[in-house]
Amino acid sequence: GAGVSQTPSNKVTEKGKYVELRCDPISGHTALYWYRQSLGQGPEFLIYFQGTGAADDSGLPNDRFFAVRPEGSVSTLKIQRTERGDSAMYLCASSPGGAGANVLTFGAGSRLTVL
Amino acid sequence: GIQVEQSPPDLILQEGANSTLRCNFSDSVNNLQWFHQNPWGQLINLFYIPSGTKQNGRLSATTVATERYSLLYISSSQTTDSGVYFCAPGKGSARQLTFGSGTQLTVLP
């Protein structure tokens, strides 16, 4: 697509529920990133995919968080047993290979609220 | 990890004014990007500027990597420039970027 698309744009859930957030990167971009942004802060890195594999998941806060990218395009961030502290904006970004590999293009984000 | 300090944290300008935003970082880097986050939360990449100077319309940026700082200049500001400006330096690839806490810019009509 023309840009990075994230769905849903807003998600309200109850503590303990399971949540999936979806990211559709720019067509042809091989690298995909998930970030989390709390109110008043800059984005924090969660996980990075190069193709289908998670090349770096060092930013995932705990084992309740998991992400997949089975066909090397769309990615899903999965959060189990949500907690109120998971409330944040979840941002997805993609980047191409080659000379532009280090330049990020972000989606509009998915705002998660855990009640 | 890299420590990033952005200043000022908040800035209020009258439309038409010029401004300079500063980003200091604690370590040598070979990747640095500036982003604008609009009031709806969308992050827009303004510059990829690990060193040197770039200009894009009313915006320009300069990074002096040896002195560990970067500057973003906004000239003839417009109300649509309002939002948060983030600096994100890093070593190597994009996944190693560390975002600062941002400068909240408000441009008044």
Side-chain angles (χ1 to χ4, degrees), chain B residues 17 36-39 58-59 74-85 105-107:
Chain B
H36 173 223
Q37 189 165 41
N38 67 23
R58 296 181 296 103
L59 302 182
I74 305 173
S75 65
S76 304
S77 57
Q78 300 176 357
T79 56
T80 52
D81 295 332
S82 295
V84 183
Y85 289 81
L105 175 66
T106 303
V107 181

Side-chain angles (χ1 to χ4, degrees), chain A residues 33 35 37 40-45 48 55-56 89 91 95 99 101-108, chain B residues 30-31 33 35 37 40-45 48 86 92-102:
Chain A
Y33 313 76
Y35 285 79
Q37 185 178 21
Q41 302 295 317
E44 293 179 318
F45 170 77
Y48 156 69
D56 183 352
M89 176 76 89
L91 295 162
S95 67
N102 289 325
V103 180
L104 298 180
T105 300
F106 279 90
Chain B
N30 55 12
N31 190 341
Q33 299 178 38
F35 295 88
Q37 189 165 41
W40 297 271
Q42 175 74 61
L43 268 168
I44 304 296
N45 193 309
Y48 167 69
F86 289 103
S93 63
R95 70 182 182 276
Q96 291 158 317
L97 296 178
T98 299
F99 283 75
S101 294

Side-chain angles (χ1 to χ4, degrees), chain A residues 46-59:
Chain A
L46 293 177
I47 187 170
Y48 156 69
F49 289 88
Q50 182 61 264
T52 60
D56 183 352
D57 65 357
S58 61

Side-chain angles (χ1 to χ4, degrees), chain B residues 2-19:
Chain B
I2 296 175
Q3 305 300 310
V4 185
E5 184 179 321
Q6 290 189 243
S7 59
D10 296 278
L11 183 60
I12 300 175
L13 299 174
Q14 207 66 41
E15 199 168 26
N18 303 328
S19 63

Side-chain angles (χ1 to χ4, degrees), chain A residues 46-89:
Chain A
L46 293 177
I47 187 170
Y48 156 69
F49 289 88
Q50 182 61 264
T52 60
D56 183 352
D57 65 357
S58 61
L60 294 177
N62 52 60
D63 61 6
R64 296 186 298 105
F65 289 75
F66 189 71
V68 296
R69 195 187 185 198
E71 297 178 0
S73 178
V74 171
S75 176
T76 305
L77 179 66
K78 308 181 181 198
I79 310 173
Q80 298 177 320
R81 305 184 304 279
T82 51
E83 300 178 356
R84 292 194 180 87
D86 299 335
S87 296
M89 176 76 89

